[in-house]
Amino acid sequence: MTKANYIRPIDFKHGRIDMNHGAGGRAAAQLIDELFARAFDNPALRAGDDGAVLDAPNLPGGHRLVMATDGHVISPIEFPGGDIGCLSVHGTINDVAMMGALPIALSASFVLEEGFALATLKRIVESMAAAARDAGVPIVTGDTKVVEQGKGDGVYIATTGLGALPAGRRIGGAQARPGDVLLLSGTIGDHGIAVLSQRESLGFETSVRSDTAALHGLVSALLAAVPEGAVHTLRDPTRGGLATTLNEIARQSGRGIRLQEAAIPVRPEVDGACELLGLDPLYIANEGKLVAFVEAAHAEAALAALQAHPLGREAARIGQVVEDPHRFVQMATRFGGQRVVDWLTGEPLPRIC
């Protein structure tokens, strides 16, 4: 995995964790590089994707396993369009699907705070169960722990997913190649703005609903529409938004990315809320969108397949991969200029997933 250039190494003797380390941006990437990746180093982890590909010689047809895990600490736990329960199912299914695998099963682990309302817990668990049924991916095992009042925040949920990856399929951040076309499955920033609108400290209203959804059906439709190997990279731009996700892929692949700002779909309500809050939609979290890196010769067929699916009706072609030893993500603005779209710095949106 290609390392980013950081200003200074982490001070593990005197330093402390802060909210930046959970934002999915530069500080989070540095913590992963300098601590977790070094301590746990192995080929599957070194790939740096949202899921790990595991050899499984006994699976029929040469399939391999994909494993992905995620923790959910969102605040508030219920928001327009979803809640922590369905979000935990969708998020992990999507991490498996972004590897090109078919999700098979999930596990779920709950950390509950003493005093948490059982009625709320019941709503969340039922929402989670409905999301798993709708996706056709059962929750087959789990664990529950309770912490003392004041030592948690109601409920945290961790989920792990397993999927089956067809023989020979290689989809990941390192596979992006010059000339690849970037396809985005729909509008960005919906989830983050829906959650922020419910935070009492911000006090603004919006009609935007979270886009949280399981994307494995959309991925299957995309992959079926083009020859095997034409889709090189898939990623769902969650924490840190589209901008941070593209910087991760540029780092993994050693390439540059060029975007067209006018081509990136953003709802007017999201744009207005971001202007009010001083935020950039490119850095706002999504939970039901994907970005696909596709060979140019098959980009139109791939785009048509996305647009034909209910979760991809607003899909758009937003840019391309280029040779660039600096691994910059750059964007042509609506006004005819150019700007670098850098890593997320700071933590403008804590507890967003």
Side-chain angles (χ1 to χ4, degrees):
M1 182 166 56
T2 305
K3 301 293 188 286
N5 294 320
Y6 304 116
I7 296 173
R8 62 179 66 86
I10 294 176
D11 181 358
F12 285 109
K13 185 174 182 179
H14 302 104
R16 302 284 182 183
I17 289 291
D18 61 36
M19 295 303 291
N20 294 332
H21 291 113
R26 192 184 299 275
Q30 184 174 12
L31 184 67
I32 291 169
D33 285 349
E34 296 184 13
L35 180 59
F36 299 115
R38 290 181 186 179
F40 303 146
D41 185 46
N42 61 73
L45 182 65
R46 205 175 300 142
D49 291 312
D50 285 345
V53 177
L54 308 174
D55 290 329
N58 294 327
L59 285 181
H63 280 65
R64 293 155 292 162
L65 287 175
V66 166
M67 182 178 183
T69 193
D70 204 354
H72 306 273
V73 299
I74 192 168
S75 177
I77 58 176
E78 296 174 293
F79 46 85
D83 54 53
I84 192 173
C86 67
L87 180 69
S88 66
V89 169
H90 296 156
T92 299
I93 286 175
N94 292 346
D95 283 346
V96 171
M98 294 307 115
M99 301 298 295
L102 179 67
I104 299 171
L106 299 170
S107 72
S109 177
F110 293 79
V111 178
L112 306 173
E113 183 184 15
E114 179 186 22
F116 186 60
L118 284 168
T120 306
L121 179 61
K122 186 172 185 290
R123 286 199 306 273
I124 288 167
V125 170
E126 289 176 349
S127 172
M128 195 171 179
R133 283 194 304 271
D134 291 345
V137 185
I139 298 168
V140 298
T141 189
D143 185 45
T144 304
K145 296 291 190 295
V146 178
V147 298
E148 300 91 337
Q149 193 163 30
K151 296 188 176 180
D153 192 11
V155 57
Y156 302 141
I157 303 175
T159 43
T160 296
L162 284 177
L165 183 67
R169 180 171 293 170
R170 295 184 65 196
I171 293 177
Q175 306 304 316
R177 303 171 191 171
D180 282 356
V181 172
L182 273 64
L183 304 178
L184 178 65
S185 68
T187 56
I188 60 171
D190 297 359
H191 173 72
I193 293 303
V195 173
L196 288 179
S197 72
Q198 299 300 296
R199 293 191 179 168
E200 295 178 2
S201 60
L202 295 177
F204 74 97
E205 294 183 1
T206 178
S207 60
V208 176
R209 295 171 61 83
S210 171
D211 59 347
T212 182
L215 297 173
H216 57 309
L218 181 62
V219 170
S220 293
L222 168 63
L223 295 178
V226 297
E228 185 67 46
V231 177
H232 297 152
T233 303
L234 292 167
R235 196 69 58 86
D236 56 331
T238 55
R239 286 182 312 167
L242 178 64
T244 300
T245 292
L246 295 182
N247 273 282
E248 290 173 352
I249 294 169
R251 183 181 69 158
Q252 284 180 269
S253 64
R255 315 294 188 183
I257 294 173
R258 298 282 174 85
L259 300 174
Q260 297 291 327
E261 184 178 25
I264 299 173
V266 184
R267 298 189 193 284
E269 306 95 310
V270 169
D271 213 18
C274 287
E275 186 174 353
L276 175 69
L277 298 171
L279 301 172
D280 185 336
L282 290 172
Y283 295 92
I284 305 298
N286 314 273
E287 291 292 345
K289 301 299 190 305
L290 64 80
V291 60
F293 290 57
V294 184
E295 287 181 1
H298 304 289
E300 290 305 314
L303 180 59
L306 292 176
Q307 292 173 338
H309 192 278
L311 294 178
R313 289 171 180 156
E314 298 175 281
R317 178 174 180 154
I318 64 167
Q320 65 179 13
V321 179
V322 298
E323 290 283 10
D324 182 359
H326 301 294
R327 307 188 298 276
F328 286 154
V329 179
Q330 300 183 68
M331 185 165 69
T333 71
R334 290 186 178 90
F335 305 106
Q338 294 277 341
R339 75 176 177 96
V340 172
V341 179
D342 205 352
W343 287 84
L344 175 69
T345 57
E347 174 54 300
L349 302 175
R351 306 283 300 279
I352 206 72
C353 61

